[in-house]
Structures are given as structure tokens and as C-alpha cells.
Amino acid sequence: EGVMRDGETLTGAIELLQLNENNQLAFVWDILDPVGGGSVEALFFEGQLVLAEGDEVDWDGDGNLDAGFVVDSIGGLESLALTPNGTIYLTADIDTNGGGNLEALLEIGNPGFGINYCTANPNSTGLIGAMSVAGSPVAADNDITLTASNLPVGQFGIFVTSMTQGFMPNIGEGNLCLDGQIGRYQLPTQIQQVAPDGTFSLQIDTTFVPQGPGGVAIAPGEVWNFQGWHRDFVGGAPTSNFTAGSSFTVQ
């Protein structure tokens, strides 16, 4: 309570929470309403805001949001489910464009497409660094954004990647979850500073992914693994830590 997630301030008590077998987390928590004052209920997935009261929904199932059909209230006890692939099922009351409120079951596709793997250690915030991948898994779209979250504000970080998963414990304060030809996003434009909400992000170029001393283009059918690596201080001494790993198959 009081911390920021995806630019929103959490307030009040957590209401719903589900963790799937891939260690992906979805939860409902109130956030401060900067427009109307007070608070509104909001759904988060892997630290990213997915849905909040007042948001429009796709009522007729055609893939487009329908004007006037908005979330009035997110459902009650035990009304949240999270599948292994990250699809969310949630009950909510919907204001049906002036036609009154109707109860609804919402299906929300995974806003990201990475599957978390590997165990991360807590950093100096007391939280475990999380990793998410959003955009399009189609290599030709060149639309993949990496986000590391739950990190110490103001520290610097980069993303590392490999086509091979691994586990090397006690690298600094964390665990390296990669092996083989490991690439680092370490150009000046790729080094990020952790924002006030505890995150840093990078949109990658799928035509040139660092690997070993050079780089390669991502090709359909390949499996890629990413991890966030950040500076930290523990007991006043400089060190580093890693987020969990995130893996996805390119189309």
C-alpha cells in the first residue's frame, strides 16, 4: 500500500490474487483516482495495469472496445482465475451504455507473452525482481518491449539474453538464469535507470539481438530468454542482482 505500480499508487487493501504455475501474478487492488478523487479498483498482471473501473470493454466480442460499456465494479470474493498461459478470467459489473448494470465474466488475454522461469532472490527493496515481455511475438513485427519491475529506484540496469536457459547462483546477490552465448544490451542508449515506480523498460530490435561478441536476428520458431540485471546496495556495499527470467517462442 502506497507504492507505485505501472504509474499508479496502490491504496487500501488487496482484494484478489492468483499465482499460476509459471509464477505469473494477477491481483486486484484499489488505486488512487487522479481525476475524480478517491479510489478505483484495478487489475494488474505482472505489475502492469490491465483494467480499472471506468475502462471500456469489448462487450460484443468483436475485438474492439465498445463506447459506453464500462467497468462499474470488479467482482467479489474468489472471482479471479489465472491460467498457465496468462489468460485472466474475472467477474465484473458492467454499465451497459445506459442500459443498467449487468454482471459479466471477462476473459482477458495475456497482455504479455513471456513465460517466467527460474528463481530470483529479493533485492534491497525486499521484493523479487520481476520480468515481463509485451508487444508482438511475431519477429517481423519488430515490436517487443522488455520490462523489469520491483527494483530499487534510481539504480541502473540492463537486459541480458540467450537462447539457452541456465542457472548460476550467487552472481552478486542474484541468480543468472542464462547459459550459452549470452548477450548484453549495454550500449549507452540501452542502459536504463530504474524509474520511481521500480521499473525499467527497453524496446528491442528483433533484427539485431546481442549474442556473444556480436548479434543475430530473431527467427521464427526460435526460443529466446531474457533477464534484467541491475545494480544494488546491500549493507552499504555495492553489488548487483537479477530479475526472474522470461522465455518466449518467436513466431
Side-chain angles (χ1 to χ4, degrees):
E1 182 180 5
V3 303
M4 296 187 70
R5 284 294 173 267
D6 201 12
E8 305 290 344
T9 301
L10 304 179
T11 182
I14 190 168
E15 299 180 15
L16 302 168
L17 181 146
Q18 286 287 325
L19 183 72
N20 68 13
E21 63 189 48
N22 292 311
N23 290 326
Q24 293 174 311
L25 179 68
F27 62 85
V28 174
W29 206 319
D30 285 353
I31 59 175
L32 294 178
D33 183 357
V35 178
S39 62
V40 295
E41 292 177 323
L43 170 68
F44 290 82
F45 175 78
E46 290 295 277
Q48 299 179 48
L49 179 64
V50 176
L51 184 73
E53 290 175 345
D55 287 351
E56 294 178 339
V57 297
D58 174 18
W59 186 251
D60 56 15
D62 66 355
N64 299 307
L65 299 178
D66 294 309
F69 291 83
V70 300
V71 178
D72 182 70
S73 175
I74 292 178
L77 187 64
E78 296 182 357
S79 61
L80 174 65
L82 178 62
T83 70
N85 69 1
T87 300
I88 300 167
Y89 293 93
L90 179 74
T91 62
D93 288 342
I94 306 298
D95 183 348
T96 57
N97 199 18
N101 282 8
L102 291 177
E103 294 182 346
L105 173 64
L106 304 180
E107 179 186 56
I108 304 171
N110 187 342
F113 51 86
I115 296 177
N116 287 359
Y117 74 96
C118 192
T119 302
N121 294 333
N123 54 54
S124 61
T125 69
L127 302 174
I128 292 175
M131 177 80 195
S132 61
V133 185
S136 171
V138 179
D141 290 345
N142 199 7
D143 179 22
I144 295 176
T145 297
L146 311 175
T147 298
S149 56
N150 296 344
L151 305 181
V153 175
Q155 298 297 331
F156 288 93
I158 63 173
F159 290 103
V160 289
T161 183
S162 176
M163 295 181 67
T164 305
Q165 295 184 6
F167 185 78
M168 287 185 279
N170 304 319
I171 306 298
E173 297 294 319
N175 303 321
L176 177 63
C177 302
L178 305 173
D179 205 343
Q181 293 289 314
I182 298 175
R184 302 181 182 183
Y185 285 93
Q186 58 187 5
L187 296 177
T189 56
Q190 297 168 339
I191 299 172
Q192 305 295 315
Q193 188 172 22
V194 179
D197 64 353
T199 69
F200 68 84
S201 298
L202 178 70
Q203 183 171 0
I204 67 172
D205 180 3
T206 60
T207 67
F208 189 88
V209 176
Q211 192 173 46
V216 298
I218 292 179
E222 293 178 343
V223 177
W224 282 85
N225 310 285
F226 292 88
Q227 206 174 0
W229 187 13
H230 64 92
R231 290 180 177 176
D232 206 351
F233 281 86
V234 175
T239 184
S240 68
N241 205 332
F242 291 89
T243 67
S246 190
S247 174
F248 65 89
T249 301
V250 183
Q251 302 174 14

